Amino acid sequence: VVARALALVGISVALAGCGRENALEPASPQQHRIVDLFWGMTAGAVIGFALIVFLLWLGWHRRGRADLPGGGGDRRGTTLVVVLGVVVPIVVLSALFVWSDVFVLRATSAPARGTTELTVEVIGHQWWWEARYPGTSAVTANEIHIPAGTRVEVVGTTADVIHSLWVPRLNRKIDVIPGRRNRIVFDATEPGRYRGECYEFCGLQHAHMGLAVVADPPARFRAWLAHNAKDAASPATPQQQHGRQVFLSQACSGCHQIRGTRAHAVVGPDLTHLADRATIAALTLPNRPDSLADWVRDPQHEKPGARMPALPLTEGELNDLLAYLRSLR
Ligand SMILES: [Cu+2]
């Protein structure tokens, strides 16, 4: 039994290390606070547990004797119970309360006005994330760029049901709830790509509702934002030109926006700079020609239940359409 239990513990530890995102590897000052609290509480719990086990053992070991170690009668026993059972818990729990509910909570709560340099609106959809940058026309999906080393206010809303936004290495989670604007701060210390998930069951494809926060060096971020705010490039070849025609004449344009064309629907992700993204379908597929083709040909095969239907296109139309989509840098 012991061997089996040890094996189980070993497997859990190994699996815990497998995850791509480890909440205990903080990448922001906010997550640092949370992780410090976690380890503080874990250490306290281990010490408390060890103390209790020791006292139990001591009681059993001395079960034949009436007095305490070092002598002393009932009075001393009562004092011990009051100190260990009442005073110590009050002191420890009060300290923990101040540490967590005052300091950690304050550091990770919605940022106070004027303490952030940039605002990003993140909108949950079944089953993908939209990101808008107020004051610019930039819109993107699932890969949310922010400048590193900068306090960014994220305002979370939803287009449909309740979702929850969680980027484990950056901060705690916030629910996104119809009719409410919940706020959180993302302040990535280093440039990098930080994965997040929807953390509230929101329907069939909840498990495929990932996002990535891409923290760029500030200059690179500004270039990205300026580029994203521009309209889509015009088709450079006759094939892409025809692809655009297919897009605009098919139902695609009834659900998607490509800025600079007359497609302005907001049911699905903005595709103006689709080719700049590393993944599609909320991090479900890499944005490679083959997986993009699989997706457009049959989204229901890749992500059953997704709010995008397969459309009847000829192979020729599909090829030209894909050539156009791949040109949307
Ligand atoms: Cu969700």
Side-chain angles (χ1 to χ4, degrees):
V1 173
V2 172
R4 240 186 248 172
L6 278 180
L8 261 182
V9 169
I11 289 170
S12 335
V13 169
L15 282 180
C18 276
R20 274 165 293 184
E21 290 305 302
N22 183 353
L24 297 180
E25 236 172 76
S28 73
Q30 293 74 27
Q31 190 60 22
H32 245 292
R33 300 284 203 121
I34 295 172
V35 171
D36 288 348
L37 177 65
F38 171 82
W39 285 121
M41 283 178 69
T42 305
V46 167
I47 292 169
F49 184 68
L51 184 67
I52 287 164
V53 169
F54 171 72
L55 290 177
L56 280 174
W57 172 82
L58 199 64
W60 172 81
H61 185 68
R62 299 173 56 85
R63 63 193 177 284
R65 285 180 254 178
D67 57 339
L68 291 167
D74 277 357
R75 259 190 97 84
R76 200 156 155 255
T78 310
T79 315
L80 260 180
V81 168
V82 170
V83 170
L84 285 182
V86 180
V87 178
V88 169
I90 286 179
V91 169
V92 168
L93 292 179
S94 309
L96 191 60
F97 177 82
V98 173
W99 181 8
S100 61
D101 282 39
V102 178
F103 291 106
V104 177
L105 216 57
R106 197 177 286 163
T108 59
S109 295
R113 251 172 234 305
T115 63
T116 53
E117 288 171 46
L118 176 81
T119 297
V120 184
E121 305 232 349
V122 176
I123 303 145
H125 293 257
Q126 285 174 318
W127 291 278
W128 57 283
W129 301 93
E130 175 183 354
R132 296 182 169 268
Y133 295 75
T136 77
S137 39
V139 192
T140 189
N142 305 315
E143 293 178 14
I144 303 170
H145 286 250
I146 60 169
T150 308
R151 282 171 61 84
V152 178
E153 173 189 52
V154 172
V155 181
T157 56
T158 172
D160 38 53
V161 299
I162 299 176
H163 305 269
S164 177
L165 173 65
W166 190 34
V167 182
R169 294 189 63 197
L170 292 184
N171 207 335
R172 57 163 139 140
K173 42 182 102 81
I174 50 167
D175 283 351
V176 301
I177 297 171
R180 287 189 58 171
R181 293 167 63 80
N182 286 342
R183 300 179 308 124
I184 197 170
V185 65
F186 283 170
D187 182 4
T189 313
E190 299 285 335
R193 195 179 161 90
Y194 305 104
R195 197 191 159 113
E197 297 290 342
C198 176
Y199 208 78
E200 175 85 42
F201 180 72
C202 58
L204 222 47
Q205 284 297 332
H206 161 67
H208 291 142
M209 191 171 161
L211 75 150
V213 172
V214 183
D216 294 320
R220 182 127 144 236
F221 170 76
R222 280 193 298 275
W224 176 86
L225 189 65
H227 178 72
N228 191 292
K230 286 191 196 137
D231 285 349
S234 307
T237 67
Q239 190 190 23
Q240 292 168 11
Q241 183 112 36
H242 181 240
R244 182 167 74 172
Q245 248 172 48
V246 172
F247 186 90
L248 293 174
S249 60
Q250 290 283 344
C252 318
S253 56
C255 287
H256 291 283
Q257 166 164 269
I258 297 183
R259 283 167 274 148
T261 73
R262 58 187 164 72
H264 286 300
V266 291
V267 178
D270 181 292
L271 302 178
T272 310
H273 298 284
L274 171 70
D276 278 348
R277 301 203 272 269
T279 59
I280 55 170
L283 272 57
T284 310
L285 298 168
N287 191 4
R288 287 195 316 247
D290 55 338
S291 36
L292 184 64
D294 290 345
W295 172 260
V296 175
R297 189 176 283 127
D298 190 2
Q300 297 301 315
H301 178 75
E302 305 299 329
K303 212 169 152 176
R307 298 284 154 92
M308 170 165 159
L311 294 178
L313 300 171
T314 66
E315 274 305 300
E317 286 171 329
L318 187 70
N319 278 336
D320 296 354
L321 177 61
L322 290 167
Y324 174 57
L325 291 177
R326 287 197 304 268
S327 77
L328 295 171
R329 292 234 149 254

